[in-house]
């Protein structure tokens, strides 16, 4: 039997452990830092470090590491042992407050987006007490923020923490205006639903594209895709089930509440959803979860693919970002209650969010833009590249009545009666699901569905929190000055909804009509990641971040540069992998089959000159032409890459890849995929789509 309550959080230096192991005063002071976002009192650091070390050693740790999230998209860690020599060949285990609070690392080896030229190579990691330390693989992991010598953030955590402070401050002003005197902090919360694929490790190892790029760059579709809709929620295969079971236990020990697991739409695609926690912790837990998924998969001879689009023709993977705001007293600010039409505070928060999504649509789009996610967005499987908002019928009716000044009448009683007496009658959710909307209100939270499966969700949440803090701040300014609070609130809600309701769309986001309608409404439609990146330094965006103190202009420009760089690097690796595979795997394989065909034809004629060789002839003709084209397009791709190399800026290079190289890559893929359908499977050098997605026993 697994005793879940006992094992849960077993490897975490959690609140419970701290309460048990720290002196009362130290515990109190640390809790204040954690809960209120107050600066840590350095005098307690030694005491905390010592308790942490003792606890970690009991859990089998010999090392500690500052664990951070540089802008590479993966986490970074450097392990130091607790060992310290004390002479005559003896050692003791040591860990000081100084080592806990601050670490030093060579920042020049991490992306800095041009900051490098102006700053010292030195970078610092700083302990984030608000995210719990934990023990994994014999090391004590200390979550940290990462910044340059000159104080610019070089990670995801720093601006996220700043944005959480910003939104808390402004939301509290609003709460006070509505008479809430008890809340002292407002937390933004995230529940990140993680999609992923599992493939067999032995098959994976035969695919250079999966190894180098995380996705298949070639591959003809299998005879069966996801059209039977039999994989979604389907029974778990034995090996997959064992993997999930193991993973869950690892995550539980790390204090992550892995809650739901199920098969997803595409064959061999799955999803894991944790229970939401405060944003900072949720981001750390999500990156930790992704690492654990990869490691656990290996134990079962599987590889976990977190890429946004591992396979063409079937759904890619996203990461739904469920987002809300809660007070430290346990009130969810996005909960409409039974009668939202009478809940002015909720309607004000809703109006503010509508404004956020409308005013900062470009920022939201760019916060999740990557070369990989471009394969999903707007591809009739994930939300379109147009950022719109779904609020459901009831809220839309309320919004319309507010804007038009008409009375609101509830449309239905909200009860579900299945008309089978033995089945219960239950209350339906406030909103139906609209899977095509990028930003959906789902009862008491918003679900941002554009993030990609491999992405760090800090980026979109930095935008959401910061933008909401700006709008709530504007509202608070007006309300604090107003003489008649009720009148001002009503007017504020009405005006805001009126000015920004163009972003609300409850229909089918995948349809062509919506694209036209969105254009008519003046909503941005940034189809490619690079188009989105270009908006980062728009004046309104720089003003937003600078005014709130979440990011400086320098930080924004450096992040923009990194986005362009990453985009170009990703595509460069993909293009080079395609060339390698075409020249060294596909062309030789096709030639081998051509040889077999021509020898077969020759042998047949030797037996009897009038024997029918039309099959060989036909195939020889078609395949020879295709392989000739493959060779030519590979050459074309090589030339284009050398042209890209000649570009001078990161921006120019990224746009060059987008406009001039992707089309050639697509052309090459089409030719190879076509050749695959005509070539003997025994000589084909890589496992097919069918094998990859259906053979996970
Ligand atoms: P579904 O989207 O499948 O209907 P749920 O409603 O159970 O699923 O929630 C999906 C995710 O949203 C879960 O990770 C859940 O923890 C998270 N979630 C629920 N409430 C909140 C909240 N107030 N803030 C942030 N995330 C939340
Ligand atoms: Mg969801």
């Amino acid at each position: 039997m697994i005793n879940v309550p006992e094992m849960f959080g077993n490897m975490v230096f959690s609140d419970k452990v701290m309460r048990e192991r720290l002196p009362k005063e130290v515990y109190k002071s640390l809790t204040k830092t954690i809960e209120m976002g107050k600066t840590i009192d350095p005098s307690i650091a030694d005491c905390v470090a010592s308790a942490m070390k003792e606890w970690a050693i009991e859990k089998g740790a010999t090392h500690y590491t500052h664990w951070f999230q540089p802008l590479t998209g993966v986490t970074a860690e450097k392990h130091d042992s607790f060992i310290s020599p004390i002479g005559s060949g003896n050692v003791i285990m040591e860990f000081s407050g100084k080592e806990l609070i601050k670490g030093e690392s060579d920042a020049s080896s991490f992306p800095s987006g041009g900051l490098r030229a102006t700053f010292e190579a030195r970078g610092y990691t700083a302990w984030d007490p608000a995210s719990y330390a934990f023990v994994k693989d014999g090391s004590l992991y200390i979550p940290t923020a990462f910044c340059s010598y000159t104080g610019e953030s070089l990670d995801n955590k720093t601006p996220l923490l700043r944005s959480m402070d910003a939104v808390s401050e402004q939301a509290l002003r609003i709460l006070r205006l509505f008479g809430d005197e008890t809340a002292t902090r407002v937390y933004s919360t995230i529940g990140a639903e993680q999609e992923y694929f599992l493939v067999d490790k032995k098959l994976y190892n035969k695919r250079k594209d999966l190894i180098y790029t995380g996705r298949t760059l070639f591959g003809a579709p299998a005879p069966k895709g996801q059209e039977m809709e039999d994989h979604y929620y389907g029974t778990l295969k034995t090996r997959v089930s064992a993997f999930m079971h193991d993973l869950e236990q690892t995550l539980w020990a790390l204090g992550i509440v892995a809650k739901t697991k199920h098969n997803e739409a595409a064959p061999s695609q799955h999803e894991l959803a944790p229970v939401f926690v405060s944003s900072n912790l949720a981001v750390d837990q999500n990156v930790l979860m992704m690492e654990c998924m990869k490691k656990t998969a290996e134990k079962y001879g599987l590889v976990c693919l977190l890429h946004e689009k591992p396979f063409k023709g079937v759904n890619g993977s996203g990461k739904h970002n469920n987002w809300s705001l809660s007070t430290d007293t346990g009130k969810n600010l996005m909960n409409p209650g039974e009668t939202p039409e009478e809940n002015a505070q909720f309607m004000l928060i809703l109006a503010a969010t509508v404004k956020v999504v409308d005013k900062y649509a470009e920022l939201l789009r760019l916060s999740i833009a990557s070369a990989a996610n471009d394969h999903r967005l707007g591809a009739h499987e994930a939300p379109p590249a147009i950022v719109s908002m779904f609020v459901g019928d009831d809220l839309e009716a309320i919004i319309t009545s507010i804007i038009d000044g008409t009375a609101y009448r509830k449309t239905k009683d909200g009860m579900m009666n299945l008309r089978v007496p033995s089945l219960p009658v239950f209350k339906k959710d406030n909103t139906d699901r609209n899977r095509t909307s990028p930003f959906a209100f789902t009862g008491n939270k918003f679900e941002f569905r554009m993030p990609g499966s491999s992405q760090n969700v800090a980026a979109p949440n930095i935008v959401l929190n910061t933008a909401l803090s700006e709008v709530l701040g504007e509202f608070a300014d007006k309300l604090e000055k107003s003489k008649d609070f009720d009148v001002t609130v009503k007017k504020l809600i009405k005006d805001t909804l009126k000015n920004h309701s163009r972003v609300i769309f409850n229909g089918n986001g995948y349809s062509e009509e919506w694209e036209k309608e969105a254009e008519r409404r003046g909503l941005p439609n940034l189809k490619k990641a690079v188009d989105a990146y270009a908006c980062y330094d728009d004046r309104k965006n720089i003003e937003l971040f600078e005014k709130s103190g979440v990011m400086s202009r320098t930080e924004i420009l450096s992040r923009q540069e990194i986005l362009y760089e990453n985009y170009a690097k990703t595509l460069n690796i993909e293009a080079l992998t395609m060339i390698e595979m075409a020249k060294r795997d596909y062309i030789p394989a096709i030639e081998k089959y051509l040889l077999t065909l021509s020898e077969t034809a020759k042998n047949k004629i030797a037996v009897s000159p009038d024997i029918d060789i039309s099959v060989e002839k036909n195939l020889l003709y078609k395949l020879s032409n295709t392989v000739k084209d493959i060779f030519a397009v590979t050459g074309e791709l090589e030339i284009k890459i050398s042209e890209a190399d000649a570009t001078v800026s990161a921006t120019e290079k990224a746009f060059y890849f987008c406009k001039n190289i992707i089309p050639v890559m697509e052309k090459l893929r089409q030719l190879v995929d076509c050749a695959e359908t005509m070539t003997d499977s025994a000589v084909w050098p890589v496992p097919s789509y069918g094998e990859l997605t259906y053979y996970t026993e």
Side-chain angles (χ1 to χ4, degrees), residues 222 224-226 230 237 267-268 689-697:
K224 184 182 173 196
Q226 63 190 54
D230 53 354
K237 288 182 179 169
S268 75
Y689 264 32
E691 287 170 293
L692 282 167
T693 55
Y694 280 97
Y695 284 54
T696 310
E697 296 294 304

Side-chain angles (χ1 to χ4, degrees), residues 367-546:
S367 74
I368 49 82
S370 70
N373 215 12
D374 274 2
H375 297 290
R376 286 176 69 235
L377 302 176
H380 298 274
E381 55 161 74
I386 307 158
V387 181
S388 68
M389 204 165 161
F390 168 85
V391 293
D393 293 341
D394 281 348
L395 278 185
E396 186 169 36
I398 295 172
I399 290 171
T400 310
S401 77
I402 292 174
I403 294 175
D404 299 347
T406 52
Y408 164 70
R409 245 175 293 123
K410 209 169 168 62
T411 40
K412 341 167 218 163
D413 65 2
M415 297 309 280
M416 174 73 86
N417 187 342
L418 297 170
R419 281 181 284 115
V420 177
S422 61
L423 292 177
V425 173
F426 54 85
K427 192 167 183 320
K428 286 197 294 190
D429 291 315
N430 268 330
T431 55
D432 189 10
R433 289 165 185 265
N434 177 329
R435 299 230 162 248
T436 65
S437 176
F439 202 95
F441 183 69
T442 51
N444 58 4
K445 61 188 187 291
F446 283 95
E447 185 173 7
F448 185 38
R449 301 210 181 97
M450 291 171 113
S453 47
S454 72
Q455 292 175 325
N456 186 314
V457 284
N461 289 287
I462 292 166
V463 176
L464 288 170
N465 292 339
T466 310
L468 189 60
S469 85
E470 178 191 77
V471 177
L472 293 181
E474 285 165 13
F475 287 2
D477 288 346
K478 285 204 179 115
L479 290 168
E480 282 164 1
K481 274 191 236 129
S482 110
K483 296 210 176 61
D484 188 333
F485 182 73
D486 287 352
V487 171
T488 316
V489 169
K490 269 202 184 126
K491 185 165 163 26
L492 208 47
I493 295 172
K494 181 174 177 169
D495 291 350
T496 309
L497 290 174
K498 206 169 176 171
N499 293 337
H500 298 283
S501 65
R502 63 173 190 167
V503 80
I504 297 175
F505 176 66
N506 283 351
N508 178 6
Y510 294 173
S511 67
E512 258 171 56
E513 295 83 69
W514 168 231
E515 209 168 321
K516 286 192 203 116
E517 166 68 12
E519 194 180 337
R520 201 187 53 75
R521 294 188 191 184
L523 301 178
N525 184 2
L526 301 164
K527 288 194 176 158
K528 302 284 178 212
V530 283
D531 300 326
Y533 298 158
C535 302
Y536 215 160
D537 57 349
D538 285 357
R539 215 176 70 202
K540 78 172 172 194
N541 297 336
I542 293 195
E543 273 174 11
L544 168 73
F545 287 122
E546 287 217 311

Side-chain angles (χ1 to χ4, degrees), residues 11-13 55 67 132-136 139-143 254 288:
M11 301 307 261
V12 184
F13 194 70
W55 169 84
W67 182 64
Y132 299 122
F134 54 92
V135 168
K136 185 168 80 77
S139 279
L140 168 67
Y141 280 72
I142 300 153
L254 289 168
L288 190 54

Side-chain angles (χ1 to χ4, degrees), residues 616-650:
E616 290 79 9
K617 255 184 157 166
N618 229 311
L619 281 170
L620 274 166
Y621 186 78
K622 279 191 193 156
L623 263 178
S624 296
N625 269 332
T626 310
V627 79
K628 179 192 84 192
D629 291 345
I630 291 173
F631 186 77
V633 176
T634 308
E636 194 186 331
L637 193 51
E638 283 174 322
I639 292 169
K640 294 275 181 213
I641 291 176
S642 59
E643 283 169 10
D645 285 341
T647 53
V648 287
S649 71

Side-chain angles (χ1 to χ4, degrees), residues 39 48 62 69 82 131-132 191 211 216 270 281 320 350 369 374 385 397 407 440 483 490 577 603-604 659 662 669:
T39 309
V48 178
T62 51
Q69 298 161 33
F82 291 125
S131 182
Y132 299 122
I211 293 171
T216 54
H270 314 279
L281 197 56
H320 292 172
L350 176 71
D374 274 2
K483 296 210 176 61
K490 269 202 184 126
T577 306
N603 292 345
K604 277 187 179 176
K659 293 214 162 71
I662 289 179
R669 173 176 188 145

